[in-house]
Coordinates of all heavy atoms in Angstrom, one line a residue:
L1 N 10.9 16.0 87.0 CA 12.3 15.9 87.3 C 12.4 14.8 88.4 O 13.4 14.1 88.3 CB 12.7 17.2 87.9 CG 12.8 18.4 86.9 CD1 13.0 19.7 87.6 CD2 14.0 18.1 86.0
R2 N 11.5 14.7 89.2 CA 11.6 13.6 90.3 C 11.4 12.2 89.6 O 12.1 11.2 90.0 CB 10.5 13.8 91.4 CG 10.5 12.7 92.5 CD 9.4 13.0 93.5 NE 8.1 12.8 92.8 CZ 7.5 11.6 92.6 NH1 8.1 10.5 92.8 NH2 6.3 11.6 92.0
V3 N 10.4 12.1 88.8 CA 10.2 10.8 88.0 C 11.4 10.5 87.2 O 11.8 9.2 87.1 CB 9.0 10.8 87.1 CG1 8.8 9.7 86.3 CG2 7.7 11.0 88.1
G4 N 12.1 11.3 86.5 CA 13.2 11.1 85.7 C 14.4 10.6 86.5 O 15.0 9.7 86.2
K5 N 14.6 11.2 87.7 CA 15.5 10.7 88.6 C 15.2 9.3 89.1 O 16.2 8.5 89.3 CB 15.7 11.7 89.9 CG 16.4 13.0 89.6 CD 16.5 13.7 90.9 CE 17.3 15.0 90.7 NZ 17.3 15.9 91.9
R6 N 14.0 9.0 89.4 CA 13.6 7.8 89.9 C 13.8 6.7 88.8 O 14.3 5.6 89.1 CB 12.1 7.8 90.3 CG 11.6 6.5 90.9 CD 10.2 6.5 91.2 NE 9.8 5.1 91.5 CZ 8.5 4.7 91.5 NH1 7.6 5.5 91.2 NH2 8.2 3.4 91.8
A7 N 13.5 7.0 87.6 CA 13.7 6.0 86.6 C 15.1 5.7 86.4 O 15.6 4.6 86.2 CB 13.1 6.6 85.2
H8 N 16.1 6.7 86.5 CA 17.5 6.4 86.3 C 18.1 5.7 87.5 O 19.0 5.0 87.4 CB 18.2 7.7 86.2 CG 18.0 8.3 84.8 ND1 18.8 7.9 83.7 CD2 17.3 9.3 84.3 CE1 18.4 8.6 82.6 NE2 17.5 9.5 83.0
S9 N 17.5 6.0 88.7 CA 18.1 5.2 90.0 C 17.5 3.9 90.2 O 18.2 3.0 90.8 CB 17.9 6.1 91.2 OG 16.5 6.3 91.4
E10 N 16.3 3.7 89.8 CA 15.6 2.4 90.0 C 15.7 1.3 88.9 O 15.3 0.2 89.1 CB 14.2 2.6 90.5 CG 14.1 3.5 91.8 CD 12.7 3.6 92.2 OE1 11.8 2.9 91.8 OE2 12.3 4.6 93.0
T11 N 16.1 1.7 87.7 CA 16.3 0.9 86.6 C 17.7 1.0 86.0 O 18.4 1.8 86.4 CB 15.2 1.2 85.5 OG1 15.7 2.3 84.8 CG2 13.9 1.4 86.1
G12 N 17.9 0.1 85.1 CA 19.3 0.1 84.4 C 19.1 0.8 83.1 O 20.0 0.5 82.2
I13 N 18.2 1.8 82.9 CA 18.0 2.4 81.7 C 19.2 3.2 81.2 O 19.4 3.4 80.0 CB 16.7 3.4 81.7 CG1 16.3 3.8 80.3 CG2 17.0 4.5 82.6 CD1 15.0 4.5 80.2
D14 N 20.1 3.7 82.0 CA 21.3 4.4 81.6 C 22.5 3.7 81.9 O 23.6 4.4 82.1 CB 21.3 5.8 82.3 CG 21.3 5.8 83.8 OD1 21.2 4.7 84.4 OD2 21.4 6.8 84.4
K15 N 22.4 2.4 82.2 CA 23.7 1.7 82.7 C 24.8 1.7 81.5 O 26.0 1.5 81.9 CB 23.4 0.2 83.0 CG 22.9 -0.6 81.8 CD 22.7 -2.1 82.2 CE 21.8 -2.3 83.3 NZ 21.4 -3.8 83.6
A16 N 24.4 1.8 80.3 CA 25.4 2.0 79.3 C 26.0 3.3 79.2 O 27.1 3.5 78.6 CB 24.7 1.7 77.9
G17 N 25.5 4.3 80.0 CA 26.1 5.6 80.0 C 26.0 6.3 78.7 O 27.0 7.2 78.4
Q18 N 25.0 6.0 78.0 CA 25.0 6.6 76.6 C 24.5 8.1 76.7 O 23.6 8.4 77.4 CB 24.1 5.8 75.6 CG 24.7 4.4 75.3 CD 24.1 3.8 74.1 OE1 24.6 3.8 73.0 NE2 22.9 3.1 74.4
S19 N 24.9 8.8 75.6 CA 24.5 10.1 75.3 C 24.6 10.5 73.9 O 25.0 9.6 73.2 CB 25.4 11.1 76.3 OG 26.6 11.2 75.7
V20 N 24.1 11.7 73.5 CA 24.3 12.0 72.1 C 25.8 12.0 71.8 O 26.2 11.6 70.7 CB 23.8 13.5 72.0 CG1 24.1 14.0 70.5 CG2 22.2 13.4 72.1
V21 N 26.7 12.4 72.8 CA 28.2 12.4 72.5 C 28.7 11.0 72.3 O 29.4 10.7 71.4 CB 28.9 13.1 73.7 CG1 30.4 13.0 73.4 CG2 28.5 14.6 73.7
T22 N 28.3 10.1 73.1 CA 28.8 8.7 73.0 C 28.3 8.1 71.6 O 29.0 7.4 71.0 CB 28.4 7.8 74.1 OG1 26.9 7.9 74.2 CG2 29.0 8.3 75.5
A23 N 27.0 8.3 71.3 CA 26.5 7.9 70.0 C 27.3 8.5 68.8 O 27.6 7.8 67.9 CB 25.0 8.3 69.9
A24 N 27.6 9.8 68.9 CA 28.5 10.4 67.9 C 29.8 9.8 67.8 O 30.3 9.5 66.7 CB 28.5 11.9 68.1
L25 N 30.5 9.5 68.9 CA 31.8 8.9 68.9 C 31.8 7.5 68.5 O 32.7 7.0 68.0 CB 32.4 9.1 70.4 CG 32.8 10.5 70.8 CD1 33.4 10.5 72.2 CD2 33.8 11.1 69.9
D26 N 30.6 6.8 68.7 CA 30.5 5.5 68.1 C 30.7 5.5 66.5 O 31.2 4.7 66.0 CB 29.2 4.9 68.5 CG 29.1 4.4 69.9 OD1 30.1 4.3 70.5 OD2 28.0 4.2 70.4
V27 N 30.0 6.6 65.9 CA 30.1 6.7 64.5 C 31.6 7.0 64.2 O 32.1 6.4 63.2 CB 29.2 7.9 64.0 CG1 29.4 8.2 62.5 CG2 27.7 7.6 64.3
A28 N 32.3 7.8 64.9 CA 33.7 8.1 64.7 C 34.4 6.9 64.7 O 35.4 6.8 63.9 CB 34.2 9.3 65.6
E29 N 34.2 6.1 65.7 CA 35.1 4.8 66.0 C 34.8 3.9 64.7 O 35.8 3.2 64.3 CB 34.6 4.2 67.2 CG 35.5 3.1 67.6 CD 35.3 2.5 69.0 OE1 34.1 2.7 69.4 OE2 36.2 2.1 69.7
R30 N 33.7 3.8 64.2 CA 33.4 3.0 63.0 C 34.2 3.4 61.8 O 34.6 2.6 60.9 CB 31.9 2.9 62.7 CG 31.1 2.1 63.7 CD 29.7 1.7 63.1 NE 28.9 2.9 63.0 CZ 28.2 3.3 64.1 NH1 28.2 2.7 65.2 NH2 27.4 4.4 64.0
H31 N 34.6 4.7 61.7 CA 35.4 5.2 60.6 C 36.9 5.3 60.9 O 37.8 5.1 60.0 CB 34.9 6.5 60.2 CG 33.5 6.4 59.5 ND1 33.4 6.2 58.2 CD2 32.2 6.5 60.1 CE1 32.0 6.1 57.9 NE2 31.3 6.4 59.0

């Protein structure tokens, strides 16, 4: 849990704010 927090706070790995929901809505937007 600590390493996960560190990875998110010290890198831009989640800067796109993506999630399973955003990925699904991307599919919806294409249609």
